[in-house]
């Protein structure tokens, strides 16, 4: 397994729409393992393949608490098939936007259809942190970032700050 460098805002790769995965083979599972290792190292609770520069529709998640056993989960070609009308508010962060946090409102409960690392189709109903994290990661597959769900003023300030940082300027 390998820890890969993270793609950081304003890298245009983060705006790319990732492509569906045709086959679950050894190469793809190696990518999943690299994603998990990169996520645990960061540390984070989720990671989309595009965050290490690979525009494929795969994400990994582990929302287990520190006092629990690790629970690495791999979602290939995930699709939301049902969302609740009731929303939940959560303070989100993103490994591609380091040290910036903001509250985002999303459906509280979702049903997600996906292909697992076994190559078979699965369905999961998620709520709480898993629902929030799944929606955050699935946004990445469509080139959407959590800052797209906050006010335009805040978003533009964040993008400006990270653009300056990328140019090596102090902020
Ligand atoms: O590590 C992460 N924490 C987090 C917290 C609240 C809502 C979403 C997340 S996902 C984030 C890792 C990440 O950037 N995934 O794309
Ligand atoms: Ni993210």
């Amino acid at each position: 397994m390998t820890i890969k460098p993270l793609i950081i805002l304003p890298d245009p790769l983060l705006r790319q729409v990732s492509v569906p995965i045709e086959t679950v083979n050894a190469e793809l599972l190696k990518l999943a393992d690299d994603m998990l290792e990169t996520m645990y190292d960061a540390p984070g609770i989720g990671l989309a393949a595009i965050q290490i520069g690979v525009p494929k529709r795969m994400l990994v998640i582990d929302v287990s608490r520190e006092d629990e056993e690790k629970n690495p989960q791999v979602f290939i070609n995930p699709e939301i098939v049902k969302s609740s009308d009731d929303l939940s508010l959560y303070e989100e962060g993103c490994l591609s936007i380091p040290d910036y946090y903001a509250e985002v409102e999303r459906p509280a409960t979702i049903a997600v259809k996906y292909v697992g690392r076994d190559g078979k189709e699965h369905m999961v109903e998620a709520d709480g942190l898993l629902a929030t994290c799944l929606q955050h990661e699935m946004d990445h597959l469509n080139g959407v970032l959590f800052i797209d769900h906050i006010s335009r003023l805040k978003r533009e300030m964040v993008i400006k700050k990270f653009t300056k940082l990328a140019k090596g300027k102090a902020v």
Side-chain angles (χ1 to χ4, degrees):
M1 294 211 278
T2 317
I3 297 167
K4 303 282 189 177
L6 288 163
I7 304 293
I8 304 294
L9 192 74
D11 193 315
L13 268 177
L14 292 171
R15 294 309 191 175
Q16 202 162 308
V17 177
S18 294
V19 302
I21 288 159
E22 303 268 349
T23 39
V24 179
N25 54 24
E27 188 192 351
L28 189 81
L29 296 178
K30 161 88 168 75
L31 172 63
D33 285 341
D34 288 349
M35 286 167 60
L36 282 164
E37 194 175 19
T38 303
M39 177 189 80
Y40 285 125
D41 176 69
I45 59 171
L47 192 80
I50 194 63
Q51 291 180 279
I52 57 168
V54 181
K56 293 186 178 174
R57 300 187 81 82
M58 177 161 68
L59 58 92
V60 297
I61 288 185
D62 188 338
V63 291
S64 64
R65 292 187 314 257
E66 246 182 72
D67 59 334
E68 291 174 333
E69 215 159 293
K70 284 212 281 181
N71 182 26
Q73 293 183 275
V74 179
F75 297 83
I76 298 162
N77 299 339
E79 281 177 49
I80 296 177
V81 295
K82 208 173 65 184
S83 321
S84 64
D85 291 329
D86 59 310
L87 306 174
S88 89
L89 193 63
Y90 205 92
E91 183 167 79
E92 300 197 12
C94 182
L95 294 174
S96 297
I97 313 174
D99 303 316
Y100 180 75
Y101 304 89
E103 286 194 324
V104 176
E105 207 170 34
R106 302 181 185 269
T109 310
I110 54 170
V112 175
K113 187 180 84 169
Y114 66 99
V115 172
R117 50 183 321 151
D118 58 3
K120 294 183 183 149
E121 208 168 89
H122 297 261
M123 185 86 100
V124 65
E125 265 219 21
D127 60 11
L129 185 55
L130 180 59
T132 294
C133 192
L134 270 168
Q135 290 173 84
H136 174 116
E137 303 312 335
M138 289 171 72
D139 269 356
H140 276 300
L141 305 186
N142 295 323
V144 174
L145 301 170
F146 83 94
I147 54 170
D148 298 332
H149 300 291
I150 65 179
S151 78
R152 186 166 103 174
L153 181 66
K154 284 188 190 170
R155 177 170 59 256
E156 285 175 353
M157 278 170 50
V158 176
I159 293 171
K160 202 166 166 185
K161 179 186 150 180
F162 279 84
T163 303
K164 281 189 183 167
L165 278 171
K167 288 178 179 157
K169 292 185 187 157
V171 283

